[in-house]
Amino acid sequence: MRNRTKTQEYLTAFVMLLPYILSFCVFFAYPLVKAFVISFQNFSFLGDAPPKFVGLANYKEALTNKMFLDSILNTLYYSVLVVPTQLIIALILAVIVNDKVKFKEFFRTTYYLPTVTSPVAVSIIFLFLYKTDGLVNQILRHIGITPRNWFNEPSFVMPAIVSVAVWGSVGFYMVTFLSGLSTIPDQLYEAAEVEGAGELTKLLKITVPLLKPMIFFNTVVSFISTLQMFDLSYIIGGSDGGPMGKAMTMVVMIYRTAFKEFNMGVASAMAFVVFGIIFALTLIQRKFFGEEMSY
Amino acid sequence: MKKFLTVLLTLIFLLSLVAGAFITQKDVFGTSKITLKLGAWASSPAEKKIVQNQIAAFKKLYPNVDIKLVEIVGDYNQKMQLLMASKTEPDIFYMDSMPAWQYIAKNVLEPLDSWMKKYNVKTIGYESSLLQPFIYKGKVYGLPKDYNTLVLFYNKEMFKQAGLTQPPKTWQELKEYAKKLTTDKVVGLTMNLELARIQPFAYQNGGKVFDGEKPVFTDPKALEGLKFALDLFKEGICKTPKDLGAGWVGDAFADKKAAMTIEGGWMIPFLNDRKIPKDSYGIAELPAGPAGKSTMAFTVAYVMSKNSKHKPEAFKLIRFLTGEGGQKYVVEAGLALPSLKSAGANFAKTYPERKALVDGAKYAQVYFYGLDGTKVVDVFNKAFEDYVIGKKYDLKKNIEERVKQIMK
């Protein structure tokens, strides 16, 4: 046994990893490559006609489709609203829940609960809450604000969806912030208190700088997940994108192109455009936060 | 002796082999069953019951055919495409009129003409407009299972309070009545803001939105008709169910948020479920426009997969389901209208108060816009939204712009 060669060791490792490698190839690598190939083809699930190579035509069609371009803007608008809002709320919640309050276990659970609820169920409940005669409007009427048809007015639908998204996912980011907070040594805060620093100063001068890696991680994850938003928008706006298409996101558009317009080639091309956008934005964020933050 | 035994054993062996072959052959012919798969989308229990009754009746006629109902939950077209890609699609299945040509053009459905000839099924037996979506390049690909038309539902109580006795018969009356019926709490008319409800107004004005195989986007007569309907929304005497905070027009009408609505016959079972008394509402044909009457027909056909291994049996099943034997159950249930003309007459007799639904079939336009159906509907729907919500009042220019963006 002592004379085991490097090759033998590699072989063992390979055999151990085989289940993962296999599932990776079958369920990730193959579909990815296939989708990439389809994005250059005139491809259909239906029928036995062989797919035809069409060069960049699918990409051209995707990038000249006004509805797809609109969906990119809608999605970016959604991301820009969601990411900062949910991270700031999550950070504040994490700081509060970290030590100050009584029953903190209870609050931790409550804030996390929406995260484990299915987004579809969440959207349907919010459809009821935001109805013209729903709870939200009843409350608004009492404080003298005219009730609105939140999910059916072009300028309100996206912000309304944003509120649902923030509610639904803030718990997840709170938990990651919490784990980050536990790594900050208490002495720093004690020292700051001796110096007479207030809560806000402590938050801005100690917590935020030391949580920078966590903030970067959360920003990237949050950005990626918002750019891939499908469920809320699909349930609330449908595959037509809601009032005047204002709730149409990039992924709903891909779904629509593939399964309503039967156009797999263009849908795949759109998917790779979305990939490109996410990739580019993530690179920009890396630059913004500095190289040492790489995860 | 040894030799004899060997011969005997060999003989016995051979005999048993032959006999075995015979027995198994007999087995094949005697007890084995063909299994046909029938694909359907998941619907209400009442609707499922019809299909189950039809299947039971068919099994009585053809005991050697077993039928498995494949219910597809969720997005039907998405699942069907995946089933086809893996060549596991049902032998026969529901096909909605809208995407029909997209399937047919991809060459995945069996043309039925030769089968129809062989088993003596004629297209003239069916309500004629219903076949249009399933005929492509002169070949028939599907036989309509049932259909429904749009009619005007009105609340009799509210009519009485407003001093109205009859449902509106003309555009002018429709507008006038809607105005009279609109109060602080109730809106005169509710309908969806989409081509599938607004289009009849184009035809009632003598215009067209679809001609033969091609959409017509900016027929002036059609635009004028569409505008008439859209202006009802702008005047606030017609609202979408969403504007009324209802899930769909059925809820808005049942909750007495609207006095009239334009919707299909599927409203009736829904209103029954909501315990709305039958004589509290009336069903009338859509009001006629300057050029006469028009409505929309929505239909679903049975089609056969090209990959089916039991085509003769599959066709017999289609023939049964769309023929007198199967349509009987459609009439009895009263959920949708039977696609056979003869059965339609029975329907009107069984349900006299629903006669308007059958009458509409004579002049209805079927919900179908050729190969680019989804895009056509989108052009109109988005333009309607722009006109009513977005305040881009030039309908023609807006439609033209959208056509340029999506259509090729």
Side-chain angles (χ1 to χ4, degrees), chain A residues 271-290:
Chain A
F272 280 94
V273 172
V274 171
F275 168 77
I277 292 173
I278 293 178
F279 192 70
L281 284 175
T282 309
L283 279 185
I284 293 171
Q285 289 173 67
R286 258 181 79 117
K287 272 259 142 44
F288 182 74
F289 277 91

mmCIF file with all atom_site columns, all heavy atoms in Angstrom, chain A residues 271-290:
data_model
loop_
_atom_site.group_PDB
_atom_site.id
_atom_site.type_symbol
_atom_site.label_atom_id
_atom_site.label_alt_id
_atom_site.label_comp_id
_atom_site.label_asym_id
_atom_site.label_entity_id
_atom_site.label_seq_id
_atom_site.pdbx_PDB_ins_code
_atom_site.Cartn_x
_atom_site.Cartn_y
_atom_site.Cartn_z
_atom_site.occupancy
_atom_site.B_iso_or_equiv
_atom_site.pdbx_formal_charge
_atom_site.auth_seq_id
_atom_site.auth_comp_id
_atom_site.auth_asym_id
_atom_site.auth_atom_id
_atom_site.pdbx_PDB_model_num
ATOM 1   N N   . ALA A 1 271 ? -30.922 33.279 -24.458 1.00 0.00 ? 271 ALA A N   1
ATOM 2   C CA  . ALA A 1 271 ? -30.345 32.764 -23.220 1.00 0.00 ? 271 ALA A CA  1
ATOM 3   C C   . ALA A 1 271 ? -28.868 33.124 -23.134 1.00 0.00 ? 271 ALA A C   1
ATOM 4   O O   . ALA A 1 271 ? -28.364 33.496 -22.072 1.00 0.00 ? 271 ALA A O   1
ATOM 5   C CB  . ALA A 1 271 ? -30.535 31.259 -23.142 1.00 0.00 ? 271 ALA A CB  1
ATOM 6   N N   . PHE A 1 272 ? -28.166 33.041 -24.278 1.00 0.00 ? 272 PHE A N   1
ATOM 7   C CA  . PHE A 1 272 ? -26.742 33.365 -24.227 1.00 0.00 ? 272 PHE A CA  1
ATOM 8   C C   . PHE A 1 272 ? -26.497 34.865 -24.135 1.00 0.00 ? 272 PHE A C   1
ATOM 9   O O   . PHE A 1 272 ? -25.501 35.294 -23.554 1.00 0.00 ? 272 PHE A O   1
ATOM 10  C CB  . PHE A 1 272 ? -25.998 32.711 -25.401 1.00 0.00 ? 272 PHE A CB  1
ATOM 11  C CG  . PHE A 1 272 ? -25.714 31.269 -25.110 1.00 0.00 ? 272 PHE A CG  1
ATOM 12  C CD1 . PHE A 1 272 ? -26.578 30.279 -25.531 1.00 0.00 ? 272 PHE A CD1 1
ATOM 13  C CD2 . PHE A 1 272 ? -24.619 30.918 -24.338 1.00 0.00 ? 272 PHE A CD2 1
ATOM 14  C CE1 . PHE A 1 272 ? -26.353 28.949 -25.207 1.00 0.00 ? 272 PHE A CE1 1
ATOM 15  C CE2 . PHE A 1 272 ? -24.387 29.591 -24.010 1.00 0.00 ? 272 PHE A CE2 1
ATOM 16  C CZ  . PHE A 1 272 ? -25.254 28.605 -24.449 1.00 0.00 ? 272 PHE A CZ  1
ATOM 17  N N   . VAL A 1 273 ? -27.416 35.647 -24.669 1.00 0.00 ? 273 VAL A N   1
ATOM 18  C CA  . VAL A 1 273 ? -27.312 37.099 -24.476 1.00 0.00 ? 273 VAL A CA  1
ATOM 19  C C   . VAL A 1 273 ? -27.451 37.403 -22.980 1.00 0.00 ? 273 VAL A C   1
ATOM 20  O O   . VAL A 1 273 ? -26.681 38.182 -22.412 1.00 0.00 ? 273 VAL A O   1
ATOM 21  C CB  . VAL A 1 273 ? -28.393 37.841 -25.295 1.00 0.00 ? 273 VAL A CB  1
ATOM 22  C CG1 . VAL A 1 273 ? -28.404 39.316 -24.924 1.00 0.00 ? 273 VAL A CG1 1
ATOM 23  C CG2 . VAL A 1 273 ? -28.138 37.670 -26.782 1.00 0.00 ? 273 VAL A CG2 1
ATOM 24  N N   . VAL A 1 274 ? -28.429 36.758 -22.340 1.00 0.00 ? 274 VAL A N   1
ATOM 25  C CA  . VAL A 1 274 ? -28.637 36.950 -20.904 1.00 0.00 ? 274 VAL A CA  1
ATOM 26  C C   . VAL A 1 274 ? -27.378 36.531 -20.141 1.00 0.00 ? 274 VAL A C   1
ATOM 27  O O   . VAL A 1 274 ? -26.904 37.224 -19.242 1.00 0.00 ? 274 VAL A O   1
ATOM 28  C CB  . VAL A 1 274 ? -29.858 36.144 -20.408 1.00 0.00 ? 274 VAL A CB  1
ATOM 29  C CG1 . VAL A 1 274 ? -29.938 36.176 -18.890 1.00 0.00 ? 274 VAL A CG1 1
ATOM 30  C CG2 . VAL A 1 274 ? -31.123 36.694 -21.021 1.00 0.00 ? 274 VAL A CG2 1
ATOM 31  N N   . PHE A 1 275 ? -26.811 35.392 -20.545 1.00 0.00 ? 275 PHE A N   1
ATOM 32  C CA  . PHE A 1 275 ? -25.573 34.928 -19.917 1.00 0.00 ? 275 PHE A CA  1
ATOM 33  C C   . PHE A 1 275 ? -24.496 35.996 -20.043 1.00 0.00 ? 275 PHE A C   1
ATOM 34  O O   . PHE A 1 275 ? -23.814 36.338 -19.077 1.00 0.00 ? 275 PHE A O   1
ATOM 35  C CB  . PHE A 1 275 ? -25.118 33.617 -20.576 1.00 0.00 ? 275 PHE A CB  1
ATOM 36  C CG  . PHE A 1 275 ? -23.724 33.204 -20.215 1.00 0.00 ? 275 PHE A CG  1
ATOM 37  C CD1 . PHE A 1 275 ? -23.462 32.637 -18.975 1.00 0.00 ? 275 PHE A CD1 1
ATOM 38  C CD2 . PHE A 1 275 ? -22.675 33.398 -21.102 1.00 0.00 ? 275 PHE A CD2 1
ATOM 39  C CE1 . PHE A 1 275 ? -22.172 32.273 -18.631 1.00 0.00 ? 275 PHE A CE1 1
ATOM 40  C CE2 . PHE A 1 275 ? -21.390 33.036 -20.768 1.00 0.00 ? 275 PHE A CE2 1
ATOM 41  C CZ  . PHE A 1 275 ? -21.133 32.466 -19.528 1.00 0.00 ? 275 PHE A CZ  1
ATOM 42  N N   . GLY A 1 276 ? -24.370 36.552 -21.245 1.00 0.00 ? 276 GLY A N   1
ATOM 43  C CA  . GLY A 1 276 ? -23.367 37.588 -21.489 1.00 0.00 ? 276 GLY A CA  1
ATOM 44  C C   . GLY A 1 276 ? -23.574 38.786 -20.573 1.00 0.00 ? 276 GLY A C   1
ATOM 45  O O   . GLY A 1 276 ? -22.613 39.316 -19.990 1.00 0.00 ? 276 GLY A O   1
ATOM 46  N N   . ILE A 1 277 ? -24.834 39.204 -20.432 1.00 0.00 ? 277 ILE A N   1
ATOM 47  C CA  . ILE A 1 277 ? -25.141 40.367 -19.593 1.00 0.00 ? 277 ILE A CA  1
ATOM 48  C C   . ILE A 1 277 ? -24.753 40.091 -18.139 1.00 0.00 ? 277 ILE A C   1
ATOM 49  O O   . ILE A 1 277 ? -24.098 40.908 -17.489 1.00 0.00 ? 277 ILE A O   1
ATOM 50  C CB  . ILE A 1 277 ? -26.649 40.713 -19.702 1.00 0.00 ? 277 ILE A CB  1
ATOM 51  C CG1 . ILE A 1 277 ? -26.954 41.220 -21.111 1.00 0.00 ? 277 ILE A CG1 1
ATOM 52  C CG2 . ILE A 1 277 ? -27.046 41.747 -18.667 1.00 0.00 ? 277 ILE A CG2 1
ATOM 53  C CD1 . ILE A 1 277 ? -28.422 41.427 -21.378 1.00 0.00 ? 277 ILE A CD1 1
ATOM 54  N N   . ILE A 1 278 ? -25.141 38.910 -17.658 1.00 0.00 ? 278 ILE A N   1
ATOM 55  C CA  . ILE A 1 278 ? -24.841 38.569 -16.268 1.00 0.00 ? 278 ILE A CA  1
ATOM 56  C C   . ILE A 1 278 ? -23.331 38.510 -16.050 1.00 0.00 ? 278 ILE A C   1
ATOM 57  O O   . ILE A 1 278 ? -22.786 39.038 -15.084 1.00 0.00 ? 278 ILE A O   1
ATOM 58  C CB  . ILE A 1 278 ? -25.493 37.221 -15.882 1.00 0.00 ? 278 ILE A CB  1
ATOM 59  C CG1 . ILE A 1 278 ? -27.005 37.368 -15.892 1.00 0.00 ? 278 ILE A CG1 1
ATOM 60  C CG2 . ILE A 1 278 ? -25.000 36.760 -14.516 1.00 0.00 ? 278 ILE A CG2 1
ATOM 61  C CD1 . ILE A 1 278 ? -27.745 36.093 -15.583 1.00 0.00 ? 278 ILE A CD1 1
ATOM 62  N N   . PHE A 1 279 ? -22.641 37.898 -17.011 1.00 0.00 ? 279 PHE A N   1
ATOM 63  C CA  . PHE A 1 279 ? -21.186 37.759 -16.921 1.00 0.00 ? 279 PHE A CA  1
ATOM 64  C C   . PHE A 1 279 ? -20.533 39.132 -16.867 1.00 0.00 ? 279 PHE A C   1
ATOM 65  O O   . PHE A 1 279 ? -19.705 39.415 -15.988 1.00 0.00 ? 279 PHE A O   1
ATOM 66  C CB  . PHE A 1 279 ? -20.696 36.963 -18.140 1.00 0.00 ? 279 PHE A CB  1
ATOM 67  C CG  . PHE A 1 279 ? -19.283 36.509 -18.049 1.00 0.00 ? 279 PHE A CG  1
ATOM 68  C CD1 . PHE A 1 279 ? -18.926 35.512 -17.156 1.00 0.00 ? 279 PHE A CD1 1
ATOM 69  C CD2 . PHE A 1 279 ? -18.306 37.070 -18.847 1.00 0.00 ? 279 PHE A CD2 1
ATOM 70  C CE1 . PHE A 1 279 ? -17.613 35.082 -17.059 1.00 0.00 ? 279 PHE A CE1 1
ATOM 71  C CE2 . PHE A 1 279 ? -16.988 36.654 -18.757 1.00 0.00 ? 279 PHE A CE2 1
ATOM 72  C CZ  . PHE A 1 279 ? -16.643 35.661 -17.865 1.00 0.00 ? 279 PHE A CZ  1
ATOM 73  N N   . ALA A 1 280 ? -20.947 40.010 -17.768 1.00 0.00 ? 280 ALA A N   1
ATOM 74  C CA  . ALA A 1 280 ? -20.352 41.344 -17.842 1.00 0.00 ? 280 ALA A CA  1
ATOM 75  C C   . ALA A 1 280 ? -20.606 42.105 -16.543 1.00 0.00 ? 280 ALA A C   1
ATOM 76  O O   . ALA A 1 280 ? -19.686 42.708 -15.979 1.00 0.00 ? 280 ALA A O   1
ATOM 77  C CB  . ALA A 1 280 ? -20.931 42.105 -19.032 1.00 0.00 ? 280 ALA A CB  1
ATOM 78  N N   . LEU A 1 281 ? -21.842 42.055 -16.059 1.00 0.00 ? 281 LEU A N   1
ATOM 79  C CA  . LEU A 1 281 ? -22.173 42.805 -14.848 1.00 0.00 ? 281 LEU A CA  1
ATOM 80  C C   . LEU A 1 281 ? -21.412 42.276 -13.640 1.00 0.00 ? 281 LEU A C   1
ATOM 81  O O   . LEU A 1 281 ? -20.982 43.045 -12.776 1.00 0.00 ? 281 LEU A O   1
ATOM 82  C CB  . LEU A 1 281 ? -23.679 42.748 -14.588 1.00 0.00 ? 281 LEU A CB  1
ATOM 83  C CG  . LEU A 1 281 ? -24.507 43.658 -15.496 1.00 0.00 ? 281 LEU A CG  1
ATOM 84  C CD1 . LEU A 1 281 ? -25.989 43.446 -15.260 1.00 0.00 ? 281 LEU A CD1 1
ATOM 85  C CD2 . LEU A 1 281 ? -24.137 45.118 -15.260 1.00 0.00 ? 281 LEU A CD2 1
ATOM 86  N N   . THR A 1 282 ? -21.204 40.956 -13.592 1.00 0.00 ? 282 THR A N   1
ATOM 87  C CA  . THR A 1 282 ? -20.451 40.388 -12.476 1.00 0.00 ? 282 THR A CA  1
ATOM 88  C C   . THR A 1 282 ? -18.996 40.840 -12.521 1.00 0.00 ? 282 THR A C   1
ATOM 89  O O   . THR A 1 282 ? -18.404 41.175 -11.491 1.00 0.00 ? 282 THR A O   1
ATOM 90  C CB  . THR A 1 282 ? -20.541 38.851 -12.513 1.00 0.00 ? 282 THR A CB  1
ATOM 91  O OG1 . THR A 1 282 ? -21.913 38.495 -12.630 1.00 0.00 ? 282 THR A OG1 1
ATOM 92  C CG2 . THR A 1 282 ? -19.973 38.241 -11.259 1.00 0.00 ? 282 THR A CG2 1
ATOM 93  N N   . LEU A 1 283 ? -18.425 40.880 -13.728 1.00 0.00 ? 283 LEU A N   1
ATOM 94  C CA  . LEU A 1 283 ? -17.045 41.362 -13.873 1.00 0.00 ? 283 LEU A CA  1
ATOM 95  C C   . LEU A 1 283 ? -16.932 42.802 -13.390 1.00 0.00 ? 283 LEU A C   1
ATOM 96  O O   . LEU A 1 283 ? -16.001 43.164 -12.678 1.00 0.00 ? 283 LEU A O   1
ATOM 97  C CB  . LEU A 1 283 ? -16.614 41.275 -15.341 1.00 0.00 ? 283 LEU A CB  1
ATOM 98  C CG  . LEU A 1 283 ? -16.166 39.907 -15.834 1.00 0.00 ? 283 LEU A CG  1
ATOM 99  C CD1 . LEU A 1 283 ? -15.657 40.019 -17.264 1.00 0.00 ? 283 LEU A CD1 1
ATOM 100 C CD2 . LEU A 1 283 ? -15.061 39.355 -14.931 1.00 0.00 ? 283 LEU A CD2 1
ATOM 101 N N   . ILE A 1 284 ? -17.917 43.627 -13.785 1.00 0.00 ? 284 ILE A N   1
ATOM 102 C CA  . ILE A 1 284 ? -17.897 45.031 -13.375 1.00 0.00 ? 284 ILE A CA  1
ATOM 103 C C   . ILE A 1 284 ? -17.926 45.139 -11.853 1.00 0.00 ? 284 ILE A C   1
ATOM 104 O O   . ILE A 1 284 ? -17.183 45.916 -11.251 1.00 0.00 ? 284 ILE A O   1
ATOM 105 C CB  . ILE A 1 284 ? -19.092 45.783 -14.007 1.00 0.00 ? 284 ILE A CB  1
ATOM 106 C CG1 . ILE A 1 284 ? -18.905 45.859 -15.518 1.00 0.00 ? 284 ILE A CG1 1
ATOM 107 C CG2 . ILE A 1 284 ? -19.225 47.181 -13.415 1.00 0.00 ? 284 ILE A CG2 1
ATOM 108 C CD1 . ILE A 1 284 ? -20.102 46.389 -16.260 1.00 0.00 ? 284 ILE A CD1 1
ATOM 109 N N   . GLN A 1 285 ? -18.763 44.307 -11.224 1.00 0.00 ? 285 GLN A N   1
ATOM 110 C CA  . GLN A 1 285 ? -18.851 44.353 -9.762  1.00 0.00 ? 285 GLN A CA  1
ATOM 111 C C   . GLN A 1 285 ? -17.532 43.953 -9.117  1.00 0.00 ? 285 GLN A C   1
ATOM 112 O O   . GLN A 1 285 ? -17.128 44.495 -8.101  1.00 0.00 ? 285 GLN A O   1
ATOM 113 C CB  . GLN A 1 285 ? -19.966 43.425 -9.277  1.00 0.00 ? 285 GLN A CB  1
ATOM 114 C CG  . GLN A 1 285 ? -21.351 43.950 -9.604  1.00 0.00 ? 285 GLN A CG  1
ATOM 115 C CD  . GLN A 1 285 ? -22.401 42.936 -9.260  1.00 0.00 ? 285 GLN A CD  1
ATOM 116 O OE1 . GLN A 1 285 ? -22.611 42.629 -8.099  1.00 0.00 ? 285 GLN A OE1 1
ATOM 117 N NE2 . GLN A 1 285 ? -23.049 42.401 -10.276 1.00 0.00 ? 285 GLN A NE2 1
ATOM 118 N N   . ARG A 1 286 ? -16.860 42.978 -9.720  1.00 0.00 ? 286 ARG A N   1
ATOM 119 C CA  . ARG A 1 286 ? -15.551 42.559 -9.191  1.00 0.00 ? 286 ARG A CA  1
ATOM 120 C C   . ARG A 1 286 ? -14.581 43.727 -9.217  1.00 0.00 ? 286 ARG A C   1
ATOM 121 O O   . ARG A 1 286 ? -13.872 43.991 -8.256  1.00 0.00 ? 286 ARG A O   1
ATOM 122 C CB  . ARG A 1 286 ? -14.981 41.435 -10.050 1.00 0.00 ? 286 ARG A CB  1
ATOM 123 C CG  . ARG A 1 286 ? -15.128 40.069 -9.443  1.00 0.00 ? 286 ARG A CG  1
ATOM 124 C CD  . ARG A 1 286 ? -14.506 39.074 -10.378 1.00 0.00 ? 286 ARG A CD  1
ATOM 125 N NE  . ARG A 1 286 ? -13.053 39.090 -10.214 1.00 0.00 ? 286 ARG A NE  1
ATOM 126 C CZ  . ARG A 1 286 ? -12.371 38.040 -9.786  1.00 0.00 ? 286 ARG A CZ  1
ATOM 127 N NH1 . ARG A 1 286 ? -13.000 36.922 -9.530  1.00 0.00 ? 286 ARG A NH1 1
ATOM 128 N NH2 . ARG A 1 286 ? -11.074 38.098 -9.646  1.00 0.00 ? 286 ARG A NH2 1
ATOM 129 N N   . LYS A 1 287 ? -14.578 44.423 -10.333 1.00 0.00 ? 287 LYS A N   1
ATOM 130 C CA  . LYS A 1 287 ? -13.706 45.599 -10.475 1.00 0.00 ? 287 LYS A CA  1
ATOM 131 C C   . LYS A 1 287 ? -14.038 46.616 -9.394  1.00 0.00 ? 287 LYS A C   1
ATOM 132 O O   . LYS A 1 287 ? -13.172 47.178 -8.728  1.00 0.00 ? 287 LYS A O   1
ATOM 133 C CB  . LYS A 1 287 ? -13.917 46.233 -11.862 1.00 0.00 ? 287 LYS A CB  1
ATOM 134 C CG  . LYS A 1 287 ? -13.026 45.636 -12.929 1.00 0.00 ? 287 LYS A CG  1
ATOM 135 C CD  . LYS A 1 287 ? -11.833 46.550 -13.191 1.00 0.00 ? 287 LYS A CD  1
ATOM 136 C CE  . LYS A 1 287 ? -10.546 45.772 -13.441 1.00 0.00 ? 287 LYS A CE  1
ATOM 137 N NZ  . LYS A 1 287 ? -10.620 44.627 -14.314 1.00 0.00 ? 287 LYS A NZ  1
ATOM 138 N N   . PHE A 1 288 ? -15.339 46.834 -9.210  1.00 0.00 ? 288 PHE A N   1
ATOM 139 C CA  . PHE A 1 288 ? -15.830 47.848 -8.297  1.00 0.00 ? 288 PHE A CA  1
ATOM 140 C C   . PHE A 1 288 ? -15.396 47.547 -6.860  1.00 0.00 ? 288 PHE A C   1
ATOM 141 O O   . PHE A 1 288 ? -14.996 48.435 -6.119  1.00 0.00 ? 288 PHE A O   1
ATOM 142 C CB  . PHE A 1 288 ? -17.345 47.920 -8.409  1.00 0.00 ? 288 PHE A CB  1
ATOM 143 C CG  . PHE A 1 288 ? -17.959 48.976 -7.551  1.00 0.00 ? 288 PHE A CG  1
ATOM 144 C CD1 . PHE A 1 288 ? -17.843 50.321 -7.891  1.00 0.00 ? 288 PHE A CD1 1
ATOM 145 C CD2 . PHE A 1 288 ? -18.653 48.641 -6.405  1.00 0.00 ? 288 PHE A CD2 1
ATOM 146 C CE1 . PHE A 1 288 ? -18.409 51.296 -7.104  1.00 0.00 ? 288 PHE A CE1 1
ATOM 147 C CE2 . PHE A 1 288 ? -19.207 49.624 -5.603  1.00 0.00 ? 288 PHE A CE2 1
ATOM 148 C CZ  . PHE A 1 288 ? -19.085 50.950 -5.953  1.00 0.00 ? 288 PHE A CZ  1
ATOM 149 N N   . PHE A 1 289 ? -15.494 46.280 -6.482  1.00 0.00 ? 289 PHE A N   1
ATOM 150 C CA  . PHE A 1 289 ? -15.172 45.923 -5.108  1.00 0.00 ? 289 PHE A CA  1
ATOM 151 C C   . PHE A 1 289 ? -13.691 45.637 -4.905  1.00 0.00 ? 289 PHE A C   1
ATOM 152 O O   . PHE A 1 289 ? -13.236 45.425 -3.792  1.00 0.00 ? 289 PHE A O   1
ATOM 153 C CB  . PHE A 1 289 ? -15.968 44.684 -4.675  1.00 0.00 ? 289 PHE A CB  1
ATOM 154 C CG  . PHE A 1 289 ? -17.347 45.012 -4.212  1.00 0.00 ? 289 PHE A CG  1
ATOM 155 C CD1 . PHE A 1 289 ? -18.405 45.009 -5.099  1.00 0.00 ? 289 PHE A CD1 1
ATOM 156 C CD2 . PHE A 1 289 ? -17.581 45.339 -2.888  1.00 0.00 ? 289 PHE A CD2 1
ATOM 157 C CE1 . PHE A 1 289 ? -19.681 45.317 -4.668  1.00 0.00 ? 289 PHE A CE1 1
ATOM 158 C CE2 . PHE A 1 289 ? -18.855 45.649 -2.460  1.00 0.00 ? 289 PHE A CE2 1
ATOM 159 C CZ  . PHE A 1 289 ? -19.896 45.636 -3.353  1.00 0.00 ? 289 PHE A CZ  1
ATOM 160 N N   . GLY A 1 290 ? -12.930 45.592 -5.998  1.00 0.00 ? 290 GLY A N   1
ATOM 161 C CA  . GLY A 1 290 ? -11.507 45.329 -5.871  1.00 0.00 ? 290 GLY A CA  1
ATOM 162 C C   . GLY A 1 290 ? -11.206 43.849 -5.976  1.00 0.00 ? 290 GLY A C   1
ATOM 163 O O   . GLY A 1 290 ? -12.023 43.004 -5.620  1.00 0.00 ? 290 GLY A O   1
#
